C-alpha cells in the first residue's frame, strides 16, 4: 500500500506552500481543489520541488459529499493510505452581522466546517486501524477570538475548533494524531477572494508559515505537537 499526504486547498496560498515542502521532504502528495486548471498548474509547480516523490491532483469540492466519497473510493481502489491529512481549504467572509442570510451561512460553513468534517470522516473510515494517521486541521486565529465583522467566519472556525478538540478526545489511545493549527493573516488571495481591500504587506509569508507547520508535523522526535498558533512579530 502506498502512503500519501493529502492537502485540501492545495492549488494556492498556504496549501501550495505546504505541498511543496512535503514533496521536497520526499513525501508523495495529493492536492485537492475545485479548479482543474489551477490544480494542474500547482501540481507542476510542486513537482519541481519533489525529491523522488509523486505529486498528483484531484478535483474535489470537499463540501460536497459525492466528491468526497468519490475520492475515498479512488484511494481504496488504488490501495492508497493517507499518512497525513492537511485540512487547509477554506473561505473568508467579512461583513456586518445584520447582513447574514441562510445562503451566506451555508456557503461559509460548507467551506470551513462541513468540508473539513466530511473529508476527515471519509479518510478516517478508509484508513486501516493498524496504520498511523495524522490529521492537521488548519483553521485561523479567528477560531480563538471573536472579531469585528467576522461573525459568520468566526462561527465556522469556532465550530472547526470544537470538532477538532472533540475528535482528539474520541480518538485518544488509537493510532490517530490530531493537530490544530491557528495561523494569523498571510499574504495570500484570501482577502481578495472575500472581496476585501486590505493592506496585507505586513502579513506573514505563507511559505514561512508552511515551514513552521511542516517542521512540527514531520518532526522525527518522540514528541507530538498538538496545537500551534502562528502570528507575525509585532
Amino acid at each position: 500500500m502506498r502512503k500519501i499526504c493529502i492537502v485540501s486547498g492545495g492549488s494556492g496560498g498556504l496549501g501550495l506552500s505546504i505541498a511543496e515542502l512535503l514533496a521536497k521532504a520526499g513525501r508523495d502528495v495529493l492536492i485537492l481543489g475545485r479548479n482543474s486548471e489551477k490544480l494542474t498548474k500547482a501540481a507542476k509547480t510542486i513537482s519541481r520541488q519533489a525529491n523522488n516523490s509523486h505529486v498528483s491532483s484531484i478535483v474535489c469540492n470537499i463540501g460536497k459529499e459525492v466528491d468526497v466519497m468519490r475520492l475515498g473510493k479512488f484511494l481504496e481502489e488504488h490501495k492508497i493510505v493517507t499518512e497525513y491529512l492537511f485540512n487547509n481549504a477554506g473561505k473568508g467572509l467579512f461583513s456586518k452581522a445584520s447582513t447574514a442570510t441562510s445562503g451566506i451561512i451555508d456557503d461559509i460553513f460548507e467551506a470551513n466546517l462541513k468540508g473539513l468534517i466530511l473529508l476527515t470522516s471519509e479518510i478516517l473510515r478508509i484508513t486501516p486501524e493498524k496504520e498511523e494517521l495524522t490529521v492537521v486541521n488548519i483553521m485561523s486565529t479567528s477560531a480563538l477570538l471573536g472579531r469585528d465583522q467576522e461573525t459568520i467566519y468566526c462561527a465556522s472556525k469556532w465550530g472547526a475548533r470544537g470538532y477538532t478538540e472533540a475528535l482528539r478526545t474520541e480518538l485518544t489511545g488509537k493510532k490517530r494524531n490530531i493537530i490544530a493549527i491557528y495561523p494569523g493573516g498571510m499574504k495570500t488571495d484570501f482577502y481578495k477572494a472575500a472581496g476585501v481591500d486590505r493592506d496585507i504587506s505586513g502579513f506573514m509569508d505563507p511559505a514561512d508559515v508552511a515551514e513552521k507547520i511542516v517542521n512540527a508535523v514531520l518532526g522525527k522526535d518522540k514528541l507530538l505537537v498538538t496545537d500551534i498558533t502562528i502570528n507575525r512579530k509585532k
Side-chain angles (χ1 to χ4, degrees), residues 48-87:
R48 290 195 287 270
Q49 305 290 328
N51 181 17
N52 296 319
S53 59
H54 179 73
V55 179
S56 56
S57 63
I58 291 181
V59 175
C60 178
N61 181 349
I62 62 170
K64 304 298 182 184
E65 189 171 20
V66 63
D67 279 19
V68 174
M69 291 179 68
R70 188 183 300 118
L71 170 66
K73 183 178 180 181
F74 172 83
L75 297 175
E76 285 187 304
E77 289 179 345
H78 290 80
K79 293 181 170 50
I80 299 173
V81 173
T82 305
E83 186 175 15
Y84 294 93
L85 169 61
F86 290 82
N87 280 311

Side-chain angles (χ1 to χ4, degrees), residues 159-174:
R161 175 187 168 196
Y163 171 77
T164 300
E165 294 187 2
L167 183 67
R168 182 183 292 152
T169 299
E170 179 179 326
L171 298 176
T172 297
K174 299 182 179 181

Side-chain angles (χ1 to χ4, degrees), residues 111-140:
N112 296 340
L113 179 56
K114 181 182 176 182
L116 180 149
I117 294 173
L118 286 175
L119 182 57
T120 301
S121 178
E122 183 67 5
I123 297 303
L124 286 171
R125 184 187 69 80
I126 66 175
T127 303
E129 290 185 4
K130 65 178 181 179
E131 300 291 343
E132 186 165 359
L133 167 66
T134 297
V135 178
V136 185
N137 287 343
I138 301 170
M139 292 166 279
S140 164

